[in-house]
Structures are given as C-alpha cells and as structure tokens.
Amino acid sequence: MAISDLDWISIEGLIIDTFIGVYDWEQQQTQQLRIDVDMGWDIQAAAKTDDIAQAVDYARVSEAIVAWVTQQPRQLIETVAEGVAQLVLEQFSVSDIKVKVSKPDAVPAADNVAVTIRRSRFDSAFG
Ligand SMILES: Nc1nc2c(c(=O)[nH]1)N=C([C@H](O)[C@@H](O)CO)CN2
C-alpha cells in the first residue's frame, strides 16, 4: 500500500520525564520529553468489527513507549526517536511510523527543539 493511502493512528503530546542529555547535569535530574507518534495502519477491519483486537491499541502503545524511554538514561533525542520507532514497528506490527521527539526546555530562547523521523517496517530489521 502506498504511504499516501494509509490510515493513521496518532498519539500526540505524550509527556515523559526521563534522564536525557549530553551534559553531566542532565544525567542527575529528569527533564521533560514530548513524543508525537503517527502509526500507519489500515483501520477498516477494526471499524467493521468494532473489535479492539483488530486495532492498534493506542493505550498499550503509549505504555510501551513510556516504559522504554524511562528504562535507562540516554544522551540524544535522536536515540529516543529511533528506539521508539523500532519498538513500535517490532511490537505492534504497524507498517509505517512517524516519530517526533521534542525537548521543550532544552534551549531557553526557543519554543521547542525536536527531531522527526519516518520509518517503515519494510526497510527495518524487523520487516
Ligand atoms: N541534535 C541534538 N543536539 C543536541 C542534543 C540532542 O539530543 N540532539 N542535546 C543537547 C543537550 O543535551 C541539550 O539538550 C542541553 O540543553 C545539545 N544538542
């Protein structure tokens, strides 16, 4: 299916406090990350059956992301974005994913800093 034909399930503004950053002080105190995820998934079977088993359960995905992000300190928001993408592709069988990881308090003069990636299970090791 072409990416433009996909349906999308989104998790927007998932706030996670975790140890993140390249400086020593950032490994001593947690900071806030905001994660936005768009998952490519054909929703027609779920809509037709009204059955959560046919859907991507956004509550379970959110729990898995929080658990993975808080499981150990990391330095770069790039590492978080790639890890979240691979986790969701591997555990939830979605075909495509877009992940944005924001660190809103990182640069005081900026509203936000973020990385955004798009990955497909067809070009990942888990395909
Ligand atoms: N491309 C990136 N640049 C920077 C990162 C990052 O994760 N990716 N992180 C930092 C520091 O941890 C910064 O957030 C401290 O304010 C600097 N640059």
Side-chain angles (χ1 to χ4, degrees), residues 1-123:
M1 187 182 283
I3 201 157
S4 55
D5 296 331
L6 288 172
D7 304 322
W8 296 92
I9 300 177
S10 300
I11 300 166
E12 299 176 356
L14 183 64
I15 302 293
I16 306 176
D17 287 312
T18 193
F19 293 100
I20 179 75
V22 299
Y23 303 120
D24 287 346
W25 68 266
E26 296 186 283
Q27 300 298 319
Q28 311 302 322
Q29 64 185 67
T30 62
Q31 295 178 83
Q32 197 173 86
L33 295 179
R34 174 192 155 117
I35 299 186
D36 302 300
V37 177
D38 295 318
M39 296 167 284
W41 181 260
D42 185 345
I43 70 152
Q44 290 176 97
K48 199 179 289 181
T49 59
D50 200 28
D51 180 0
I52 186 69
Q54 300 292 329
V56 175
D57 183 338
Y58 48 72
R60 287 185 51 231
V61 176
S62 298
E63 284 170 16
I65 292 173
V66 172
W68 186 85
V69 171
T70 57
Q71 120 198 335
Q72 66 181 72
R74 295 187 178 86
Q75 297 197 43
L76 300 178
I77 58 176
E78 286 87 339
T79 311
V80 175
E82 195 67 49
V84 168
Q86 297 306 326
L87 164 82
V88 177
L89 285 173
E90 183 183 0
Q91 292 191 9
F92 295 93
S93 303
V94 303
S95 60
D96 296 86
I97 187 164
K98 188 172 154 191
V99 180
K100 178 177 179 180
V101 177
S102 299
K103 192 176 178 184
D105 301 324
V107 177
D111 280 348
N112 190 29
V113 296
V115 295
T116 303
I117 64 171
R118 175 174 269 171
R119 297 289 181 267
S120 167
R121 67 182 297 106
F122 304 112
D123 44 49

